[in-house]
């Protein structure tokens, strides 16, 4: 059985005025839902050894960083590129002269507090840890890896990449080229 309900225009107007109108979010309202801040100038820099001996562990440093200081950065905060160099020098010391920095821009803006994953892949090289995930909170973030080459690579150059993910999206591939040489004596692990 179908019922027909007739609503007067006066009744409809009253019902419409009783509906709560959506209010625009106020900027000063702490309960307002906020869109994440996006950093459009994120880069990824990897300090990789130029040459390694097989079966020896070597450091590999991977950085996520801004290409320049934020406008609201505290005065004592170093320029992100200077901070990357400072940390690399501190971590690698004298070995730094045997390392090559490789930098790649992010293909998209990175959300503040977004989850970043570094995943290094080079045929014949083992990485410890095999991947690293962290939240993008600071203007410079460093992840330390260790790598070692298999003996089968002796006398060869191997090529791969460090893939950077924001969540599940790839935002950068930093190319890694490393020569393996058992005659190497100038680099220590």
């Amino acid at each position: 059985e179908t019922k027909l309900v007739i609503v007067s225009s006066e009744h409809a107007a009253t019902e419409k005025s009783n509906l709560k109108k959506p209010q625009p979010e106020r900027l000063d309202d702490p309960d307002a839902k906020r869109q994440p801040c996006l950093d459009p100038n994120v880069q990824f820099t990897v300090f990789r050894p130029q040459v390694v001996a097989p079966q020896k562990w070597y450091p590999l440093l991977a950085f996520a960083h801004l290409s320049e200081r934020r406008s609201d950065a505290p005065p004592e905060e170093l320029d992100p590129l200077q901070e990357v160099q400072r940390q690399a020098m501190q971590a690698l010391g004298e070995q730094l002269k045997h390392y090559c920095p490789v930098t790649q821009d992010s293909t998209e803006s990175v959300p503040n507090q977004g989850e970043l994953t570094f995943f290094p892949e080079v045929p014949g090289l083992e990485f410890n840890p095999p991947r690293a995930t962290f939240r993008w909170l600071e203007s410079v973030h460093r992840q330390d890896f260790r790598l070692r080459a298999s003996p089968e690579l002796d006398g060869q150059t191997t090529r791969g990449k460090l893939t950077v993910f924001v969540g599940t999206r790839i935002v950068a591939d930093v190319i890694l080229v490393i020569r393996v040489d058992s005659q190497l004596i100038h680099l220590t692990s």
Side-chain angles (χ1 to χ4, degrees):
E1 180 177 312
T2 305
K3 291 184 179 180
L4 178 62
V5 178
I6 300 175
V7 177
S8 70
S9 59
E10 184 179 301
H11 178 72
T14 304
E15 286 299 312
K16 191 175 183 181
S17 68
N18 287 338
L19 292 176
K20 188 170 184 175
K21 293 180 183 176
Q23 298 294 315
E25 291 180 354
R26 291 186 11 220
L27 294 177
D28 60 346
D29 182 358
D31 295 327
K33 293 179 185 173
R34 298 189 182 155
Q35 293 293 332
C37 175
L38 296 175
D39 285 318
N41 61 334
V42 176
Q43 295 180 321
F44 306 101
T45 298
V46 176
F47 285 81
R48 60 149 177 93
Q50 296 172 17
V51 184
V52 298
Q55 294 297 86
K56 286 183 130 180
W57 287 101
Y58 295 87
L60 177 120
L61 307 180
F63 291 88
H65 58 88
L66 295 175
S67 61
E68 60 188 9
R69 286 183 57 175
R70 288 187 174 101
S71 58
D72 61 348
E76 67 276 2
E77 184 177 297
L78 283 179
D79 173 83
L81 300 179
Q82 292 173 335
E83 179 62 16
V84 166
Q85 277 300 121
R86 187 193 70 74
Q87 287 188 31
M89 176 61 94
Q90 182 182 32
L92 297 171
E94 284 297 312
Q95 291 182 51
L96 183 61
K97 64 186 173 192
H98 302 291
Y99 274 67
C100 181
V102 182
T103 300
Q104 179 66 50
D105 291 325
S106 178
T107 59
E108 60 186 70
S109 296
V110 175
N112 193 321
Q113 299 189 28
E115 185 178 270
L116 287 173
T117 299
F118 287 165
F119 182 55
E121 274 185 301
V122 180
L125 296 186
E126 178 183 4
F127 292 91
N128 185 28
R131 74 186 56 78
T133 300
F134 57 92
R135 287 182 41 207
W136 174 246
L137 298 171
E138 304 170 66
S139 60
V140 175
H141 180 88
R142 182 177 98 208
Q143 179 60 51
D144 294 4
F145 291 92
R146 307 259 302 151
L147 68 85
R148 72 175 167 184
S150 68
E152 294 78 32
L153 286 178
D154 192 18
Q156 300 177 46
T157 297
T158 185
R159 290 171 170 76
K161 61 189 174 183
L162 179 128
T163 301
V164 182
F165 297 86
V166 170
T168 59
R169 292 182 321 281
I170 295 174
V171 296
D173 280 322
V174 182
I175 302 303
L176 303 176
V177 179
I178 299 173
R179 188 165 53 93
V180 181
D181 186 352
S182 61
Q183 303 302 309
L184 181 67
I185 57 170
H186 69 272
L187 259 180
T188 59
S189 56

